[in-house]
Amino acid sequence: MLASTTAEKSQACLKWGSGMLLLDGPCVIGRRTDNNLQINNVQVSRRHALLLNLNDDWWVNDLGSRNGVLVNGIRLTNARKLRDGDEIRIANHRLLFCNSTQGPPQHSSIIGKTTQMAPAAPADEFVPPAVLCELIVASAKGEVLEGERAAHWFFGRSLERMPGGEHYLLPLAVRHWLERVVADDGMGATPLELHQGDSRVVLSFARCKGDHYFLLVREDSLKVSAERLQTLGLTEREAEVMVWICEGKKNAEIALILGVTLHTVNRHTEHIFKKLGVDNRQKAIKVALERLGG
């Protein structure tokens, strides 16, 4: 049995049987009644899966469920970018992801030349670090009510626990931010950014149910980000390609990551080399890091 919350008009949605849930923000799926989408099945975990929008793309992530999440028959081990028509399977329930602004990628045409999409790859093979996102449910006081594993992963020793306390406490900076979120009833809550070495942890407020505050936590690499690469004169898509060149990915792998054709990536790579004044990948990486101070 599926039960969903009401959502405003959206271009992306989940469909099942005769039901539909419009996606206008982070969507938590699981057995608990306070999820955005409840699946009342003993094989479904309390917090089973998470859908979130990042840079106009929708992603699905398994929240450490007992029985896993399958997308088009492949079990997730990390986040996966969704395409129009993708099937998400949780236990014996099938959810169809639909996005009216995004057709299923089959072919790509560049300067009159049509090419086949790169062959499909396992969903867990390539995952941008920016979408390694987890859910933490906290009290208004910053107590970690759910997601202790994720809290330890992101915050480690900065978590606190009072003598005899039942729950860990989020770091002081996060608790102060959460106090402001609570005071403003979550209205217009600005994400909190915490810099840790060469990475950035970003916390976003998703929703509140009673004294349960749903927080999305993700980590971005600051060594080479798409935003910083655009300052070198690269377009948004060229910057995304360059991020993965810096990660050591081959063009065929990058095509699978970004959901485009190999021909498209080859063309972007040519443009990147020209703009950076280099003739190979190693030189491109060296120049990018030097110019960005990396």
Side-chain angles (χ1 to χ4, degrees):
M1 178 180 180
L2 295 170
S4 64
T5 60
T6 302
E8 297 176 359
K9 185 176 181 180
S10 172
Q11 293 172 324
C13 68
L14 292 175
K15 295 181 179 179
W16 64 90
S18 59
M20 181 178 71
L21 173 66
L22 298 174
L23 299 173
D24 64 347
C27 175
V28 182
I29 303 173
R31 199 173 67 249
R32 288 190 54 147
T33 58
D34 59 351
N35 290 315
N36 300 87
L37 178 58
Q38 182 199 12
I39 301 181
N40 189 11
N41 185 315
V42 294
Q43 294 184 337
V44 177
S45 299
R46 293 182 304 164
R47 311 288 186 200
H48 200 106
L50 169 69
L51 271 71
L52 72 154
N53 187 286
L54 182 63
N55 298 329
D56 296 326
D57 287 318
W58 282 94
W59 297 77
V60 60
N61 194 28
D62 187 341
L63 293 175
S65 67
R66 183 175 65 255
N67 293 314
V69 178
L70 279 71
V71 176
N72 299 332
I74 300 174
R75 182 162 180 163
L76 299 185
T77 58
N78 280 312
R80 159 81 179 261
K81 182 162 66 174
L82 292 169
R83 294 286 180 180
D84 181 52
D86 279 349
E87 180 192 79
I88 302 170
R89 183 167 180 174
I90 296 176
N92 62 343
H93 297 276
R94 290 182 171 86
L95 306 171
L96 182 67
F97 174 78
C98 301
N99 189 344
S100 60
T101 64
Q102 175 196 65
Q106 299 296 335
H107 301 80
S108 176
S109 179
I110 298 180
I111 315 180
K113 182 177 181 180
T114 301
T115 58
Q116 294 287 333
M117 289 299 298
D124 59 344
E125 195 165 353
F126 314 111
V127 182
V131 295
L132 295 181
C133 184
E134 293 289 344
L135 173 72
I136 293 177
V137 180
S139 71
K141 297 179 180 179
E143 300 166 306
V144 179
L145 305 179
E146 297 179 40
E148 186 175 304
R149 178 183 61 84
H152 278 284
W153 173 265
F154 286 107
F155 304 118
R157 295 182 179 179
S158 61
L159 290 176
E160 301 176 27
R161 192 168 192 170
M162 302 301 292
E166 182 180 358
H167 304 288
Y168 281 96
L169 293 173
L170 292 168
L172 185 59
V174 178
R175 300 204 302 269
H176 286 166
W177 169 77
L178 185 56
E179 287 176 2
R180 296 192 295 271
V181 171
V182 174
D184 296 335
D185 292 326
M187 299 299 294
T190 302
L192 174 68
E193 296 185 6
L194 299 174
H195 295 263
Q196 300 180 168
D198 60 359
S199 66
R200 174 182 63 178
V201 173
V202 182
L203 290 96
S204 303
F205 170 71
R207 61 198 292 258
C208 173
K209 281 286 186 178
D211 186 42
H212 286 55
Y213 291 82
F214 289 59
L215 310 178
L216 302 183
V217 192
R218 62 184 176 88
E219 184 175 1
D220 295 323
S221 170
L222 293 180
K223 290 182 178 178
V224 183
S225 69
E227 292 82 1
R228 296 176 71 207
L229 285 166
Q230 288 182 61
T231 66
L232 303 181
L234 305 184
T235 66
E236 180 178 355
R237 183 57 98 180
E238 289 168 355
E240 291 177 345
V241 172
M242 188 61 201
V243 165
W244 291 107
I245 289 177
C246 291
E247 292 291 332
K249 301 299 184 184
K250 299 178 181 178
N251 283 8
E253 297 173 332
I254 296 172
L256 294 172
I257 295 169
L258 299 180
V260 299
T261 67
L262 176 59
H263 178 68
T264 298
V265 176
N266 289 339
R267 290 301 301 270
H268 285 316
T269 303
E270 292 175 6
H271 295 160
I272 291 169
F273 289 173
K274 184 176 181 180
K275 290 181 178 180
L276 296 182
V278 299
D279 58 6
N280 62 52
R281 303 164 77 86
Q282 288 71 30
K283 291 180 181 178
I285 294 171
K286 184 174 184 294
V287 168
L289 292 176
E290 286 176 349
R291 293 185 186 178
L292 294 175

